[in-house]
């Protein structure tokens, strides 16, 4: 089974955005050495607690800092942009780093509602046109001229980055199947309905210019430590962060475990935290390994993407190291 990484460049307590992006770079280099398969970065706008607003730029930087691991976006919010321009950006990345680039796309707003307006010159993007836009993107990536305008996405080349459709619902699964692209379910966003969505994707899949067979993976929050008790302590900060996000609280950083344990929770808060644990795997290496394997079996996929947000940063690095050891990921030879 393949293990991969999703990193949202979280801003931890006492840190700023520069620190967050530096930590993302360190984590990419670290997980490359540990043997993780791919490393995706997210797109979020107008938030103080997540520093990754331009995943295509960050992808270029991380690919230049790593040797083997696949680097990509999880994902580009395509309705905000020109499919032609996105295709050219990723054709450049593919030319610089052949067979190492992934292009994950999504249709969510990526921040507060007004982000839609700010990114689209005061207009709401056309979500209904999203499937056609993805189809256009695939065509340009593979050297085609979908509108017959006598243009192509430069630079051309013999390889193209695969398009992954990201989703947390059955709707995205069906679109991915119809267009014949890979599908990634965000279990860390929605802890329900994912297996049905993946089944729908596989059952309805149509071969395409990109690929002949369905390919899927699933992403999950995970916190791994030397003991279950230590993992629970670290995960308390993520519990509080998710609670605050859902309550619409203004966040300038991700809290520390100490902040989480000193917070006064209501009974409804406690219930919501337990509900959110459906989106997380927490525990010692053996426990987390077992639950990740069960998750992969439940989804019938051979790849799980791990998103770990804990404080301090050293504990995040350690969490990925413990998982790599538990799964016996092979450390690649660095040339």
């Amino acid at each position: 089974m393949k293990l991969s990484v999703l990193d949202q460049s979280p801003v931890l307590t006492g840190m700023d955005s520069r620190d967050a992006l530096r930590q993302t770079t360190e984590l990419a280099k670290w997980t490359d050495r540990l043997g993780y398969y791919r490393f995706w970065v997210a797109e979020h706008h107008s938030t103080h607690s997540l520093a990754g607003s331009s995943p295509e730029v960050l992808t270029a930087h991380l690919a230049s800092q790593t040797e083997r691991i696949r680097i990509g976006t999880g994902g580009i919010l395509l309705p905000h942009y020109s499919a032609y321009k996105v295709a050219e950006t990723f054709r450049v990345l593919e030319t610089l780093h052949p067979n190492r680039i992934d292009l994950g796309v999504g249709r969510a707003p990526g921040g507060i509602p007004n982000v839609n307006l700010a990114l689209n010159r005061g207009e709401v993007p056309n979500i209904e046109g999203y499937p056609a836009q993805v189809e256009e993107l695939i065509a340009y990536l593979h050297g085609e001229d979908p509108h017959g305008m006598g243009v192509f996405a430069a630079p051309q080349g013999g390889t193209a980055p695969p398009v992954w459709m990201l989703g947390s619902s059955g709707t995205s699964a069906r679109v991915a199947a119809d267009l014949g692209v890979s599908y990634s379910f965000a279990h860390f966003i929605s802890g329900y309905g994912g297996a049905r969505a993946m089944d729908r994707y596989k059952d309805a899949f149509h071969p395409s210019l990109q690929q002949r067979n369905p390919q899927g993976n699933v992403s999950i929050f995970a916190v791994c430590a030397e003991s279950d008790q230590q993992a629970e302590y670290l995960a308390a900060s993520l519990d509080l962060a998710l609670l605050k996000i859902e309550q619409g609280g203004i966040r300038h950083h991700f809290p520390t475990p100490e902040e989480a344990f000193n917070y006064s929770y209501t009974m409804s808060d406690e219930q919501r935290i337990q509900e959110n644990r459906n989106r997380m795997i927490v525990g010692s290496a053996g426990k987390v390994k077992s639950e990740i394997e069960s998750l992969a079996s439940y989804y019938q996929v051979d790849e799980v993407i791990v998103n770990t947000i804990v404080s301090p940063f050293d504990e995040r690095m350690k969490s990925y190291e413990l998982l790599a050891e538990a799964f016996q990921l092979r450390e690649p030879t660095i040339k």
Side-chain angles (χ1 to χ4, degrees):
M1 193 181 78
K2 296 188 287 286
L3 275 190
S4 297
V5 180
L6 172 65
D7 189 69
Q8 297 174 288
S9 301
V11 180
L12 305 180
T13 297
M15 303 291 177
D16 58 20
S17 294
R18 179 176 293 183
D19 295 317
L21 294 176
R22 175 182 55 79
Q23 289 169 354
T24 291
T25 304
E26 289 184 28
L27 187 60
K29 291 158 66 173
W30 180 232
T31 52
D32 185 22
R33 293 195 296 271
L34 290 173
Y36 283 80
Y37 183 67
R38 69 177 97 238
F39 191 101
W40 283 356
V41 289
E43 179 174 349
H44 295 278
H45 299 282
S46 194
T47 172
H48 295 287
S49 59
L50 298 171
S53 60
S54 183
E56 65 274 30
V57 174
L58 195 49
T59 293
H61 170 67
L62 297 178
S64 71
Q65 296 291 308
T66 52
E67 296 285 340
R68 175 206 57 85
I69 196 168
R70 296 188 66 88
I71 305 293
T73 56
I76 295 289
L77 306 179
L78 191 59
H80 298 311
Y81 312 117
S82 155
Y84 180 65
K85 178 58 178 175
V86 172
E88 290 209 313
T89 297
F90 279 81
R91 285 239 46 92
V92 170
L93 289 169
E94 179 69 15
T95 302
L96 291 170
H97 308 281
N99 295 312
R100 286 189 58 214
I101 302 298
D102 294 325
L103 173 48
V105 297
R107 61 176 184 168
I112 60 176
N114 282 344
V115 162
N116 277 319
L117 302 179
L119 286 171
N120 292 278
R121 292 174 293 180
E123 298 182 0
V124 176
N126 177 21
I127 301 298
E128 290 73 21
Y130 177 62
Q133 196 180 18
V134 177
E135 191 171 22
E136 179 185 10
L137 173 64
I138 295 168
Y140 279 129
L141 286 170
H142 288 267
E144 295 190 347
D145 180 12
H147 302 295
M149 298 190 299
V151 301
F152 63 88
Q156 293 185 312
T159 62
V163 172
W164 283 80
M165 185 164 290
L166 315 181
S168 56
S169 71
T171 301
S172 296
R174 187 54 191 258
V175 174
D178 288 344
L179 297 179
V181 299
S182 299
Y183 178 62
S184 181
F185 187 84
H187 191 102
F188 76 100
I189 293 177
S190 175
Y192 300 99
R196 290 193 301 274
M198 191 64 70
D199 286 342
R200 176 184 296 185
Y201 162 70
K202 292 178 179 179
D203 291 343
F205 183 84
H206 295 286
S208 69
L209 185 64
Q210 174 174 296
Q211 63 195 68
R212 304 303 301 171
N213 300 302
Q215 181 180 7
N217 63 34
V218 57
S219 52
I220 183 89
F221 282 124
V223 179
C224 186
E226 295 284 0
S227 67
D228 290 347
Q229 182 178 10
Q230 175 67 4
E232 288 291 340
Y233 174 73
L234 295 172
S237 60
L238 184 55
D239 288 333
L240 178 58
L242 295 178
L243 180 67
K244 285 296 184 182
I245 291 170
E246 293 177 343
Q247 293 176 343
I250 297 175
R251 298 176 300 125
H252 293 278
H253 60 263
F254 276 80
T256 64
E258 291 79 9
E259 289 178 85
F261 272 92
N262 289 326
Y263 188 82
S264 296
Y265 297 95
T266 66
M267 185 175 296
S268 62
D269 288 342
E270 296 282 2
Q271 291 173 343
R272 190 58 204 162
I273 285 172
Q274 288 306 308
E275 187 75 9
N276 279 333
R277 281 301 182 100
N278 290 317
R279 301 154 59 187
M280 302 166 58
I281 296 175
V282 179
S284 61
K287 178 183 177 184
V288 174
K289 177 179 183 291
S290 177
E291 293 191 22
I292 284 178
E293 289 173 335
S294 295
L295 184 74
S297 177
Y298 180 63
Y299 275 85
Q300 292 296 294
V301 295
D302 65 355
E303 179 184 5
V304 174
I305 302 179
V306 175
N307 182 2
T308 300
I309 302 178
V310 295
S311 181
F313 177 62
D314 287 348
E315 295 289 356
R316 184 151 45 123
M317 298 270 280
K318 183 65 174 177
S319 181
Y320 283 109
E321 181 182 15
L322 289 170
L323 271 184
E325 292 174 352
F327 278 91
Q328 297 182 317
L329 302 183
R330 305 175 85 183
E331 185 168 335
T333 300
I334 305 299
K335 297 180 180 180

